[in-house]
Amino acid sequence: MAAETAERREWTVTGMDCAACTTKVVRAVERLPGVSDVKVALMTERLSLNLVPGSSEPKAIEGTVRKLGFGIAPKGQQAPRKKAFVLPDEGPVPRAEDGAADDPDLRAPARDATPALQDKAWHQTAKGRLVILTGALLAIAWLIELLTSVEVGYWAFVAACLIGVAPVAKRANEALRMGQPFTIEGLMTIAAGGALLIGAAEEAALVVFLFAVGEVLEGVAAGKARQGIRALANLVPKTALLEVAGRTRAIPADSLQIGQTVLVRPGDRIPADGKIIDGTSGVDESPVTGESVPATRTVCDPVFAGSINTEAALRVRVTREPSDNTIARIIRLVEEAEEARAPTERFIDRFSRIYMPAIVALSALVIVVPPLAFGQDWTTWIYRGLALLLIGCPCALVISVPASIASALSAGSKRGLLMKGGSVIEAAAKVTHVAFDKTGTLTLGVPVVTDLLPAPGVNEAQLLAVAAGVEAGSSHPLALAILRRAEAAAVPVPEARNARALPGRGVEATVDGALAWVASPSHAADVGGMDDAALPRAVTLEDEGKTVVAVYREGRPLGLIALRDEPRGDAAEAIRQLDAMSVGATMLTGDNARTAAAIAGGLGIGFRAGMMPEDKLAAIGELNGKGSVMMIGDGINDAPALKEAQVGIAMGSGTDVALETADGAILRNRVTDVPALIRLARATMGNITQNVALALGLKAVFLVTTILGITGLWIAILADTGATVLVT
């Protein structure tokens, strides 16, 4: 019952530098009454949980997180941070000619009295100030020892160590009270305290200083890893020029509503997903799709929030809520993706829970066994055991996967490649076969005129003119293709009257005062609309996978028009790249075998034709039995197959059902982005393997050298911090 009444709550948590930080937050918060399903996203700094009303207060949750040393604020509010997550400046201020300058209600909203938080320099952060303090104390202690004596200097180092380790010990104590004894702060406090007990005060103070430096470096490294994800939020302007009754006024972009009209001037970013209702301009969509060349967009064309208008003013009607625009959906996907952890990451997380207690136990054995069993010196082995504690911190190991996954998600989103989590990346890296839908995926999804074959005594312009006249006003895909070809060839379309469809045969209309038809070749042959020479030509064109229509007037053939849904320009190159990567490819289509063979033959790909959605589902199941399969599709009929495949990827132009069902999306609609996505996934998994090897390798080396007495405390802390920074 509690689960049914629980509310989902979200906060922004700052100051988390590695996966160990997220673990602290999760374990501390999930102990509170009424709290369940706690999730913390390191790279997007998000804490979300289910909270039963009347149980724990939100303030109690926030207090628990603050005690661990992190900043926290409810979602939508600013939390104390080292790296500000802010949107860009408000954007253009309406000009006088827009009618805003002289009307107080139409002026741009005033800027906030408090400037947006900016990135702080390292020395302005709490951890940065700790580095400065511990460094200064260490320098003062050395100076005192130099000017007085070793005995006086010893106590100066003790004071430096105690002052420097105090904030660390406080955080360790709070974690301990919340049931988390095995934290890096706890290990650090034990190591510093133990070093003081055996008289190694100078080294204890140095270790505290190096630990503080390492904390700052980890923060900088984590901030760098977050930058790509944060940059997504900077793509949408904060204000929009709303047009009302012919006048414009600046309003917050997040207050736009569906159906409103906004003015987008040259150089401005488009504030919302919408459709152009006036104007023609080049639109740079690279922030959204990664396409580097601006595309010409005109009336009725869709545009994305965050795209840049490069040439002329556009009036855009908003078609999506700000919370559901393209950028918001991408950010949501990235946030959800971080929660969908890779199997490798889940394994390492489980491994680290066993690893930490094991290291503590090993350190205890190193301290106790040699003196008790072999009569060795206690001080020497206590020192080595303490160093082993510091080496055992699993930060570098734990962060090795999420840092790589976050970087891959960010790099992919910049190139129009969206993946819903680390599990998708790991699965994509193992893909051995790719199954493609045909229409809208390997092909453009719209038919185009490929051949014009006029009858004797008729030219192409005359053929096109009559065909376009008959088809004028029709919304059939073939009719639209003929009309587009006539427009492109600048052929005037004659006036047509009394147009009517002939079910199963074609269309007729009165064009220039006489009846004309656009019909199937079989019907045209029956009524004298084709001559004897045209029939074999029509058969040849149909064997090439093209749709053929005959154009004729009463008793007079005018010619043939062939149309086909043509392959995308980069489809053949994509298949070639997949083959070079030893990844097989198959086309699954509902079209007839003749059309499928023509398309597949030109691309050099195998095919299966005449497939219903359930047939595609069965085909994917069969392919799954032979390896790891990725399915690429765009339609509602592809949704079951997308879900069945190990990895389902939707084309960006596809239906919402396909995009929601799929594990990722290709925003640029480029088929070559399929091998690019697989390459990115493979590179990411290779990077993860290197990171894990580096983290474990360094620890193994220094574990041996520490036990042998070759390296000490300060080398141990450098090894731990260095591995973490190198991995990140």
Side-chain angles (χ1 to χ4, degrees):
M1 187 67 182
E4 294 177 4
T5 59
E7 300 175 355
R8 195 69 184 170
R9 305 291 290 267
E10 289 189 13
W11 287 264
T12 298
V13 178
T14 58
M16 299 184 296
D17 298 332
C18 68
C21 298
T22 67
T23 302
K24 288 180 200 171
V25 174
V26 170
R27 292 181 183 174
V29 171
E30 67 186 4
R31 291 163 59 92
L32 298 174
V35 173
S36 62
D37 194 22
V38 181
K39 294 181 180 179
V40 177
L42 174 64
M43 294 303 162
T44 52
E45 302 181 302
R46 184 179 64 166
L47 163 64
S48 61
L49 51 83
N50 289 334
L51 180 63
V52 177
S55 54
S56 296
E57 290 292 326
K59 293 293 183 184
I61 295 171
E62 293 170 11
T64 299
V65 174
R66 288 193 185 98
K67 286 179 181 178
L68 293 173
F70 306 113
I72 184 172
K75 183 182 178 182
Q77 296 182 21
Q78 287 284 1
R81 62 170 66 253
K82 295 180 292 179
K83 297 284 183 183
F85 193 140
V86 295
L87 292 172
D89 289 340
E90 285 81 353
V93 178
R95 300 170 293 194
E97 58 263 36
D98 295 327
D102 55 354
D103 188 337
D105 294 330
L106 299 181
R107 290 178 190 152
R111 291 177 181 269
D112 295 337
T114 305
L117 291 175
Q118 301 297 320
D119 288 359
K120 290 184 178 181
W122 68 269
H123 58 272
Q124 295 176 305
T125 65
K127 291 180 179 179
R129 289 193 291 271
L130 182 61
V131 168
I132 295 171
L133 174 63
T134 54
L137 291 172
L138 191 61
I140 291 170
W142 270 324
L143 184 62
I144 290 174
E145 184 181 62
L146 182 65
L147 296 177
T148 57
S149 63
V150 173
E151 290 76 13
V152 176
Y154 171 81
W155 292 108
F157 283 116
V158 170
C161 176
L162 291 175
I163 294 171
V165 84
V168 180
K170 181 182 177 182
R171 279 154 45 200
N173 182 55
E174 291 295 344
L176 180 62
R177 290 172 59 186
M178 296 176 191
Q180 300 179 53
F182 302 112
T183 63
I184 180 59
E185 289 84 3
L187 300 185
M188 182 66 232
T189 303
I190 293 172
L196 289 179
L197 289 177
I198 62 175
E202 181 176 355
E203 196 160 5
L206 178 60
V207 166
V208 170
F209 169 70
L210 291 174
F211 176 77
V213 172
E215 290 269 277
V216 170
L217 290 177
E218 285 182 1
V220 172
K224 291 288 185 184
R226 290 188 182 108
Q227 282 179 359
I229 296 174
R230 286 179 179 163
L232 293 172
N234 295 338
L235 295 177
V236 181
K238 290 187 73 174
T239 60
L241 290 178
L242 178 66
E243 189 174 277
V244 180
R247 306 184 75 184
T248 58
R249 63 189 176 97
I251 66 169
D254 58 9
S255 68
L256 288 171
Q257 298 178 5
I258 294 175
Q260 290 182 325
T261 300
V262 293
L263 174 67
V264 186
R265 298 176 305 199
D268 291 351
R269 286 187 184 272
I270 296 170
D273 281 10
K275 185 172 289 187
I276 298 173
I277 60 173
D278 183 41
T280 300
S281 179
V283 177
D284 178 3
E285 298 176 346
S286 60
V288 181
T289 67
E291 179 57 66
S292 59
V293 180
T296 300
R297 297 287 182 253
T298 188
V299 176
C300 292
D301 284 342
V303 288
F304 305 121
S307 301
I308 303 167
N309 180 19
T310 62
E311 296 171 3
L314 296 173
R315 293 173 65 235
V316 176
R317 178 161 291 135
V318 178
T319 57
R320 283 186 183 271
E321 295 282 354
S323 61
D324 195 38
N325 67 38
T326 302
I327 297 299
R329 293 167 79 187
I330 292 174
I331 292 173
R332 213 158 40 238
L333 279 173
V334 172
E335 289 177 344
E336 292 168 359
E338 196 182 344
E339 293 177 357
R341 300 191 301 168
T344 301
E345 183 178 356
R346 293 195 294 270
F347 168 76
I348 288 178
D349 186 39
R350 292 194 301 270
F351 172 73
S352 66
R353 296 189 182 195
I354 302 170
Y355 171 83
M356 280 286 280
I359 286 293
V360 172
L362 180 60
S363 299
L365 290 175
V366 167
I367 291 172
V368 173
V369 172
L372 291 180
F374 305 105
Q376 299 289 310
D377 178 56
W378 278 98
T379 301
T380 299
W381 288 98
I382 289 174
Y383 180 89
R384 293 179 184 179
L386 294 175
L388 189 59
L389 270 183
L390 296 181
I391 289 171
C393 174
C395 285
L397 178 63
V398 173
I399 202 174
S400 60
V401 180
S404 297
I405 295 295
S407 296
L409 293 172
S410 173
S413 65
K414 290 177 183 177
R415 297 163 58 187
L417 309 175
L418 294 185
M419 292 166 284
K420 298 180 181 178
S423 57
V424 178
I425 294 175
E426 189 161 336
K430 300 175 182 176
V431 164
T432 58
H433 201 96
V434 178
F436 290 95
D437 170 51
K438 181 183 78 69
T439 305
T441 302
L442 285 175
T443 66
L444 296 170
V446 291
V448 296
V449 174
T450 58
D451 301 272
L452 293 170
L453 303 174
V458 180
N459 60 39
E460 290 188 357
Q462 292 171 324
L463 174 63
L464 262 180
V466 174
V470 173
E471 298 285 17
S474 172
S475 60
H476 191 280
L478 297 182
L480 295 176
I482 292 172
L483 290 168
R484 282 195 300 269
R485 179 60 178 266
E487 182 182 1
V491 172
V493 179
E495 183 180 354
R497 294 180 293 107
N498 304 323
R500 69 187 184 98
L502 305 173
R505 292 173 290 172
V507 183
E508 77 170 22
T510 301
V511 180
D512 287 336
L515 280 174
W517 290 266
V518 175
S520 66
S522 58
H523 176 67
D526 291 340
V527 298
M530 287 176 59
D531 56 32
D532 293 338
L535 190 56
R537 297 169 77 183
V539 173
T540 301
L541 290 169
E542 288 177 339
D543 287 340
E544 295 173 3
K546 298 174 182 178
T547 299
V548 180
V549 294
V551 184
Y552 59 95
R553 289 189 183 274
E554 193 164 3
R556 184 191 174 196
L558 298 178
L560 303 176
I561 299 178
L563 308 94
R564 188 169 71 174
D565 180 12
E566 290 290 272
R568 294 182 184 272
D570 64 337
E573 173 61 18
I575 302 303
R576 188 198 65 77
Q577 291 184 22
L578 288 173
D579 185 61
M581 298 164 64
S582 299
V583 176
T586 301
M587 182 178 77
L588 307 179
T589 178
D591 272 355
N592 61 74
R594 189 165 56 181
T595 300
I599 296 292
L603 298 178
I605 184 175
F607 71 92
R608 299 187 188 186
M611 308 193 79
M612 298 296 286
E614 57 270 24
D615 298 323
K616 290 186 178 182
L617 187 65
I620 293 296
E622 179 186 332
L623 291 171
N624 277 337
K626 302 176 182 177
S628 183
V629 179
M630 175 183 287
M631 172 69 189
I632 315 294
D634 74 318
I636 293 174
N637 62 328
D638 296 321
L642 288 169
K643 199 68 178 175
E644 175 69 14
Q646 267 89 358
V647 184
I649 302 295
M651 300 297 280
S653 60
T655 63
D656 284 345
V657 173
L659 291 170
E660 292 298 327
T661 304
D663 301 307
I666 296 173
L667 294 184
R668 296 189 300 187
N669 291 318
R670 288 184 175 178
V671 189
T672 48
D673 280 348
V674 175
L677 188 148
I678 296 174
R679 281 195 296 269
L680 174 63
R682 289 181 176 181
T684 302
M685 296 311 298
N687 193 31
I688 287 172
T689 302
Q690 293 174 23
N691 285 346
V692 172
L694 176 65
L696 291 178
L698 278 175
K699 290 184 183 302
V701 169
F702 284 104
L703 185 146
V704 174
T705 57
T706 298
I707 292 177
L708 295 177
I710 299 172
T711 54
L713 286 174
W714 68 277
I715 288 291
I717 197 68
L718 274 183
D720 171 65
T721 299
T724 302
V725 174
L726 284 174
V727 160
T728 305

